[in-house]
Amino acid sequence: MPIFIHYQTASKEWKQAENIDSVPDDALFIWYDFVNAASEESKLLASKFHFNTLAIEDTVKTVSRPKFKEYQDYQFLVFHLINPKDYRAQAINLFMKDNILVTYHQDRLKRLGNIGKAIRKSYPSQLVTPADIAFIILDFIVDSYFEYVYHIEDEVFSFEDRHVNDVTDNKLMEDVFQIRSVMIKIKRVTMPMQELIQHVKDETSFIQTKKQKMYIHHIEDHIIKQMHIIKSAQEMTGDIRDNYDSLNSYRLNNVMKILTLVSVIFLPLTLITGIYGMNFRNMPELQWDFGYFAILAVMLLISIVLIIYFKFKRWF
């Protein structure tokens, strides 16, 4: 069934209708939830509710950026959920008109099924408005971010325990970049939502009651906390990456220093062997019986002197 209909009766009880025609005329509030609606159901947005065609096109065909827009006789909101498979944004579009709320989303969202309980708990016998339900939906969406944010935080804090026995640096850095990749994807959802919440908070025409004002402050506190956790995790992974780069530089410097010292030790030895390897006839040392042993002794002496000198300079 592509459309789920919830309504509040004249006695302020919540019920669910099987189709649009079964909604009573005296219903105080009606919520139409379009779930992966076909083109026929999507046309109802224009034919029955008379919403703006451009807003409908954005709703049906694209994933719009989180936004709040006010038309002459209705208001339009776009919220973003996080897809647990690839951390991409899942749009929930809300149209609010008089006593009617229309939500439109492409996928069946299990979290929205729990909103009915929240409505009954928050408004057990009170008349609700589309804005009231919009705040409950927004609260559920923002709270759902904690699942991913806390997972990132746990991954970062357990990083050392997971890599304490790693013998190679490749696996360590792959884990770092994987965590940072997930953080970037989550921020691509949460940052625009934070901007939207700030905009809605400043939009006085949308917030009408004291309870709605408390709701938006509560939601804002949650998303600010989430952004702080993500920022802290980013800084920690940045420190891990910087430490890795520093450790690599330190290792490389040590290797280069050893290679340089070895080159310096072998440079005079190579010079000596190069000179006596020319085999000119007029080289008296070549005819000397002890020449070979003398040259070896000189070369050994030079090596020992250089090693002692480098030790004295603490270059080893």
Side-chain angles (χ1 to χ4, degrees):
M1 182 178 178
I3 305 177
F4 296 87
I5 305 172
H6 308 268
Y7 65 92
Q8 192 178 32
T9 64
S11 59
K12 298 180 181 177
E13 294 180 345
W14 283 96
K15 292 188 177 181
Q16 187 169 345
E18 295 184 358
N19 53 64
I20 293 178
D21 297 331
S22 62
V23 178
D25 296 333
D26 61 347
L28 300 177
F29 175 82
I30 310 170
W31 174 15
Y32 300 92
D33 186 25
F34 287 72
V35 181
N36 199 18
S39 58
E40 183 179 350
E41 286 81 15
S42 299
K43 291 178 182 177
L44 291 174
L45 297 175
S47 61
K48 180 176 177 61
F49 305 109
H50 308 291
F51 296 140
N52 184 279
T53 55
L54 294 177
I56 295 173
E57 184 177 352
D58 289 343
T59 298
V60 175
K61 296 183 179 181
T62 63
V63 178
S64 300
R65 184 180 176 86
K67 62 183 176 181
F68 170 76
K69 195 168 184 180
E70 194 163 11
Y71 294 90
Q72 185 174 359
D73 57 347
Y74 69 93
Q75 295 168 318
F76 178 56
L77 272 165
V78 180
F79 298 150
H80 278 182
L81 267 170
I82 297 176
N83 189 321
K85 295 181 180 179
D86 55 10
Y87 304 101
R88 293 182 182 272
Q90 289 180 293
I92 300 180
N93 306 274
L94 294 85
F95 296 88
M96 294 168 287
K97 181 179 182 180
D98 300 328
N99 67 330
I100 295 174
L101 171 66
V102 178
T103 55
Y104 189 105
H105 44 95
Q106 295 296 335
D107 301 311
R108 183 74 179 270
L109 304 174
K110 295 181 180 179
R111 292 184 181 88
L112 289 186
N114 299 322
I115 291 179
K117 298 179 182 178
I119 295 172
R120 294 181 180 90
K121 182 179 179 181
S122 299
Y123 304 94
S125 59
Q126 302 175 22
L127 178 65
V128 298
T129 65
D132 293 328
I133 308 302
F135 280 117
I136 293 177
I137 294 174
L138 179 59
D139 186 32
F140 266 77
I141 290 173
V142 172
D143 284 349
S144 71
Y145 297 161
F146 277 112
E147 176 184 350
Y148 309 99
V149 171
Y150 284 146
H151 174 70
I152 289 294
E153 187 179 40
D154 292 339
E155 287 288 303
V156 173
F157 281 114
S158 63
F159 187 89
E160 183 177 352
D161 294 334
R162 286 185 284 113
H163 293 282
V164 67
N165 294 321
D166 285 350
V167 295
T168 62
D169 295 329
N170 292 337
K171 186 177 179 181
L172 182 145
M173 290 311 297
E174 285 177 4
D175 199 3
V176 170
F177 287 121
Q178 177 64 29
I179 293 173
R180 290 181 69 85
S181 174
V182 172
M183 278 192 289
I184 291 172
K185 292 176 182 177
I186 293 176
K187 284 184 69 176
R188 289 181 64 182
V189 178
T190 55
M191 287 185 67
M193 283 293 290
Q194 185 182 23
E195 294 173 3
L196 172 66
I197 291 169
Q198 185 63 45
H199 177 62
V200 170
K201 178 184 173 184
D202 298 336
E203 187 64 42
T204 55
S205 62
F206 183 71
I207 301 175
Q208 298 291 334
T209 66
K210 184 177 180 181
K211 193 166 187 175
Q212 292 174 356
K213 186 178 292 187
M214 292 174 61
Y215 242 120
I216 196 65
H217 281 290
H218 168 77
I219 295 168
E220 184 184 34
D221 289 342
H222 279 192
I223 201 163
I224 289 174
K225 179 180 179 181
Q226 292 162 359
M227 296 303 296
H228 283 169
I229 292 174
I230 293 175
K231 183 180 179 181
S232 176
Q234 273 191 313
E235 290 175 352
M236 291 182 69
T237 53
D239 291 341
I240 293 171
R241 186 184 58 187
D242 293 341
N243 289 340
Y244 170 80
D245 292 338
S246 299
L247 180 60
N248 270 355
S249 298
Y250 173 76
R251 289 174 177 173
L252 181 61
N253 288 338
N254 277 343
V255 171
M256 294 302 297
K257 183 171 66 174
I258 295 299
L259 292 177
T260 301
L261 295 178
V262 171
S263 300
V264 171
I265 292 172
F266 275 90
L267 182 62
L269 308 184
T270 305
L271 176 62
I272 293 173
T273 56
I275 291 173
Y276 287 101
M278 292 186 291
N279 293 321
F280 288 116
R281 290 184 179 180
N282 190 20
M283 294 184 70
E285 294 84 356
L286 295 179
Q287 307 301 323
W288 186 29
D289 292 339
F290 300 101
Y292 172 72
F293 301 102
I295 291 298
L296 285 181
V298 171
M299 294 171 67
L300 180 62
L301 179 62
I302 292 174
S303 300
I304 293 173
V305 169
L306 288 175
I307 291 172
I308 293 174
Y309 177 76
F310 293 148
K311 281 283 189 180
F312 177 74
K313 289 291 187 178
R314 296 184 179 178
W315 290 354
F316 273 109

